[in-house]
Every structure is written in C-alpha cells, then in structure tokens.
Amino acid sequence: MHKSIAVCPGSFDPITVGHVDIIKRAAKMFDRVIVVVMVNPKKTYSFTPEERVSLVRAATADLENIEVDYSDGLLAEYAREKGASVIIKGLRAMSDFEYEFQMALANKKLNSEVETVFLTTAAENMYLSSSMVKQIASMGGDVGDFVPEQIRQDITKRLYGKDEK
Ligand code: PNS
C-alpha cells in the first residue's frame, strides 16, 4: 500500500512547543513524518546540529510515526531521497508568508513531485519563536511555557549566562 510521507524541516534552534504542535498535527495527517533538522544559511546557530537533533528527539519521543534526521543539503533533494510527497511548514503571521511562499516555489521548481502544505499555528503560539526562547533563557528567564518540559532544563543550562546575538 502507498504510504504518505511528509517531511517537516526546520532549524529547530531549539525546538519549541509551537514546532511540536505542528509536528503532532502533521503526524495525524500522514503515515510517516520525518522531522529533519536542516541548515538555513542565513542563520547563525546557538546549538550544534547534534544538539538540535537530540532536543528534537527528546521532544518528540512519545510520538509514534515520527522520525528525526539531520541534513545539511537541499530540502527538495532530501524530500526526493526519502520519497516524501509533502513538505510541512507552520505559518504564524503574514510576516512568515512572503519568505515561506518563495521557498515553496523554489522547492517546487527543484522537485516537482513535492507539495508544500502550510499549517496555521495554534493561536497561543502566534508570538513564539526559537530566538525569543533563546533570549529569555540566556537572561535567566523561565522558558517552561515555550519549550517541551523534557528539554526545558537542557536549554536553560546550555544558554544561561551566554550572550545572545
Ligand atoms: O526553521 P527555519 O530556519 O525557518 O527553517 C528553514 C529551513 C532550514 C527549512 C530552510 O532554510 C531550508 O530548507 N534549508 C535547506 C537548504 C535549502 O533547501 N534551501 C533552499 C530553500 S529554497
């Protein structure tokens, strides 16, 4: 039987409850969801690839049809290699839209077999971003509402006392 495979790409620097919500919803829609930690060349990361993967693994450990992977290549190629027909992205506000729209078109050009599907964020996560989490944690604030409980301490330990750019 044909299984639907979706990839859910992102920087996940670090993963937040907003990401987990999108991943959970994707897991209900597709047989297999591959959460892939990737590289956005425009970003400088606070967490290493290994750390980002390990935080995503810990945050999604209780979900069944989820796999976690890392790739430093092109998303369109990655989707092709995995036989994925869908790329899942979460959209918060209109400000996300222009960039995401551009990426969706570029990915379609590079891999005509793949469709980008946008899920709207849950209203309570509208404001949430990894950079906000990093800023709060690095200044000693409580990120308990913003990241999954399993990884809260790891993030705080790792970032507290470090300056955020
Ligand atoms: O969480 P982010 O930073 O918004 O995720 C962006 C990411 C990593 C998914 C994007 O930069 C990406 O797809 N990187 C892989 C390289 C690639 O395929 N770039 C071309 C996209 S048009």
Side-chain angles (χ1 to χ4, degrees), residues 9-11 38-41 43 73-75 89 99-100 103 106-107:
S11 290
M38 298 201 95
V39 178
N40 178 345
K43 288 189 177 171
L74 284 172
L75 173 57
K89 289 289 195 116
Y99 178 58
E100 292 294 345
M103 281 203 290
N107 285 326

Side-chain angles (χ1 to χ4, degrees), residues 114-161:
V114 80
E115 296 295 340
T116 300
V117 171
F118 294 108
L119 298 185
T120 44
T121 185
E124 64 268 29
N125 297 328
M126 270 296 279
Y127 65 92
L128 186 53
S129 67
S130 295
S131 50
M132 196 192 79
V133 166
K134 285 188 281 188
Q135 191 172 112
I136 295 171
S138 68
M139 292 175 156
D142 180 7
V143 291
D145 285 343
F146 315 132
V147 301
E149 183 51 34
Q150 310 88 288
I151 61 172
R152 184 175 60 85
Q153 279 210 321
D154 291 339
I155 289 172
T156 305
K157 258 194 229 156
R158 178 70 169 67
L159 295 177
Y160 186 39

Side-chain angles (χ1 to χ4, degrees), residues 62-127:
D62 54 339
L63 303 176
E64 274 193 358
N65 48 337
I66 302 284
E67 290 153 50
V68 182
D69 196 8
Y70 173 78
S71 168
D72 60 5
L74 284 172
L75 173 57
E77 285 305 322
Y78 182 85
R80 195 196 320 273
E81 275 164 32
K82 295 290 169 181
S85 52
V86 171
I87 292 169
I88 294 282
K89 289 289 195 116
L91 272 190
R92 284 166 302 192
M94 277 307 285
S95 52
D96 284 343
F97 183 75
E98 200 173 333
Y99 178 58
E100 292 294 345
F101 189 66
Q102 199 183 6
M103 281 203 290
L105 290 176
N107 285 326
K108 187 78 184 163
K109 200 84 187 157
L110 294 170
N111 177 354
S112 61
E113 301 292 305
V114 80
E115 296 295 340
T116 300
V117 171
F118 294 108
L119 298 185
T120 44
T121 185
E124 64 268 29
N125 297 328
M126 270 296 279
Y127 65 92

Side-chain angles (χ1 to χ4, degrees), residues 26-65:
K28 284 190 199 158
M29 298 167 66
F30 300 94
D31 296 318
R32 223 179 120 196
V33 174
I34 308 171
V35 183
V36 56
V37 175
M38 298 201 95
V39 178
N40 178 345
K42 289 199 179 132
K43 288 189 177 171
T44 43
Y45 291 114
S46 300
F47 293 88
T48 65
E50 293 75 19
E51 287 173 325
R52 291 187 278 139
V53 166
S54 133
L55 292 170
V56 173
R57 285 223 162 91
T60 58
D62 54 339
L63 303 176
E64 274 193 358
N65 48 337

